[in-house]
């Protein structure tokens, strides 16, 4: 055991104890001095001369995670990683994509893709869906979860498309948002993937989580996240960016235990919940 580590026996006179108490009181805060019950003396770090080879830690002061160069680097690496990705929901028309997107809430694309082929075989047109009651549709979509609400949304959307839009899914965000069960995420999926219109950025659970990890937003509300992303991502990348981030969330950047060691964006990601890091992690960069 190194010298000085062996606990010293108290002196019979108690002199050492008095000395220790006196030192402790000197270093205690005023209110502790008054009470005479200081809890612990501060630990003093031994002064060490800096090594010549040691580099000063990079200061994060002035770091701007939304700087155009950083955003461009994120987009470039996403392009390298996922050059040709698109929506994973199987569909052959705007209507089928709309239905699949409504069914995908709180479910997985794999799960939805298991249900939709039979669903669209049974009800091949939007008119066929419009002729149903929500209760009639429920058994067909039950396995996607929240089936009562989803049945209501799908049948309600079909009825409105037939009655108000001549049986055609509108390619206009304001009109899409009038359909039951359709919020900005679903509208952006249909507009971007089917109509190739970049009206907004799809913010699903993956885009939500990863945008926060990358410090591209501090918001928690999907609409505010979308507004933040629209300000910093060029409009001609809005559609592809969403698809790429969704794929990244599925392949590497999982909600729990992201696979950081395999991630090509690792050295520009400062997420607080990384599982491995070569760069400083930022407290505020959380999913
Ligand atoms: S480094 Fe980790 S947390 Fe950051 S994007 Fe990659 S997988 Fe996600």
């Amino acid at each position: 055991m190194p010298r000085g580590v062996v606990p010293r026996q108290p002196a019979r006179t108690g002199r050492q104890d008095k000395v220790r108490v006196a030192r402790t009181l000197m270093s205690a805060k005023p209110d502790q001095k008054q009470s005479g019950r200081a809890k612990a003396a501060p630990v003093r770090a031994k002064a060490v001369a800096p090594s010549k080879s040691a580099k000063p830690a990079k200061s994060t002061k002035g770091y701007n995670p939304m700087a155009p160069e950083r955003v461009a680097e994120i987009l470039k690496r996403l392009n390298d990683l996922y050059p040709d990705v698109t929506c994973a929901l199987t569909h052959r028309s705007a209507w089928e994509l709309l239905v699949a997107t409504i069914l995908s809430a709180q479910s997985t694309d794999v799960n939805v893709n298991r249900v939709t082929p039979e669903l669209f075989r049974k009800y091949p047109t939007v008119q066929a869906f419009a002729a149903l009651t929500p209760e009639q549709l429920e058994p067909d979509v039950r396995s996607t979860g929240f089936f009562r609400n989803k049945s209501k949304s799908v049948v309600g959307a079909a009825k409105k498309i037939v009655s108000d839009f001549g049986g055609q899914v509108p390619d206009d965000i304001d009109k899409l948002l009038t359909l039951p069960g359709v919020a900005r995420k679903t509208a952006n999926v249909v507009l971007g993937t089917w109509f190739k219109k970049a009206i907004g950025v799809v913010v699903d659970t993956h885009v939500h989580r990863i945008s926060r990890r990358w410090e591209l937003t501090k918001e928690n509300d999907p609409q505010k996240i979308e507004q933040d992303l629209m300000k910093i991502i060029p409009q001609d990348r809005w559609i592809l960016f969403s698809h790429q981030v969704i794929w990244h969330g599925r392949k590497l950047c999982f909600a729990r235990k992201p696979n950081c060691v395999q991630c090509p964006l690792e050295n520009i990601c400062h997420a607080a919940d990384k599982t491995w890091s070569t760069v400083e992690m930022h407290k505020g960069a959380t999913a």
Side-chain angles (χ1 to χ4, degrees), residues 10-268:
R12 283 185 195 155
T13 60
R15 277 177 63 197
Q16 288 93 331
D17 289 343
K18 280 181 192 162
V19 169
R20 195 175 300 144
V21 169
R23 278 192 192 143
T24 305
L25 285 173
M26 281 169 69
S27 59
K29 290 176 184 167
D31 57 336
Q32 289 172 319
K33 279 182 191 172
Q34 276 170 10
S35 70
R37 295 179 63 212
K39 283 180 187 156
V43 178
R44 284 208 185 142
K46 208 174 162 186
V48 179
S51 131
K52 281 180 190 167
S53 61
K55 287 181 190 163
K58 267 192 186 170
S59 166
T60 53
K61 205 177 165 190
Y63 171 72
N64 177 9
M66 289 171 237
E69 314 82 60
R70 180 172 184 267
V71 174
E73 187 59 31
I74 289 174
L75 297 180
K76 182 187 169 300
R77 293 193 198 187
L78 284 174
N79 264 357
D80 295 343
L81 203 52
Y82 311 106
D84 308 308
V85 286
T86 185
C87 181
L89 293 167
T90 311
H91 61 277
R92 296 166 300 180
S93 66
W95 167 245
E96 289 191 1
L97 179 58
L98 182 67
V99 173
T101 310
I102 291 172
L103 296 181
S104 71
Q106 310 286 323
S107 186
T108 63
D109 291 350
V110 174
N111 206 8
V112 173
N113 288 342
R114 265 193 219 118
V115 167
T116 46
E118 175 56 19
L119 186 67
F120 297 132
R121 193 197 59 72
K122 204 167 165 185
Y123 309 110
T125 60
V126 63
Q127 288 79 4
F129 279 90
L132 296 172
T133 63
E135 292 72 28
Q136 284 174 307
L137 187 62
E138 283 175 5
D140 298 293
V141 299
R142 191 182 188 101
S143 65
T144 66
F146 299 94
F147 62 96
R148 288 197 182 90
N149 277 342
K150 289 179 182 177
S151 297
K152 256 187 226 156
S153 297
V154 170
V155 171
K159 287 184 191 298
K160 189 154 176 75
I161 288 171
V162 169
S163 64
D164 293 10
F165 304 117
Q168 300 296 316
V169 175
D171 61 353
D172 176 278
I173 186 137
D174 294 325
K175 289 178 182 165
L176 279 169
L177 291 175
T178 65
L179 301 175
V182 175
R184 278 196 73 90
K185 188 200 88 174
T186 304
N188 280 329
V189 169
V190 174
L191 288 170
T193 302
W194 185 260
F195 294 110
K196 311 294 176 211
K197 285 188 168 185
I199 304 299
V201 178
V202 174
V203 178
D204 76 336
T205 179
H206 299 292
V207 177
H208 183 139
R209 174 177 78 252
I210 298 172
S211 302
R212 286 179 55 88
R213 280 180 171 157
W214 287 344
E215 301 168 272
L216 300 180
T217 183
K218 287 182 180 157
E219 300 292 348
N220 243 322
D221 172 68
Q223 284 204 32
K224 290 182 182 166
I225 293 175
E226 186 188 355
Q227 293 304 314
D228 283 350
L229 295 175
M230 286 164 72
K231 280 182 210 145
I232 56 174
I233 294 167
Q235 189 170 5
D236 61 358
R237 283 296 306 272
W238 288 355
I239 299 171
L240 187 57
F241 172 82
S242 307
H243 291 317
Q244 289 172 327
V245 176
I246 292 168
W247 278 92
H248 193 54
R250 290 197 189 114
K251 299 282 176 195
L252 291 168
C253 195
F254 313 122
R256 293 178 60 213
K257 296 194 182 164
N259 190 357
C260 306
V261 75
Q262 300 275 338
C263 178
L265 287 99
E266 189 282 320
N267 67 346
I268 52 170

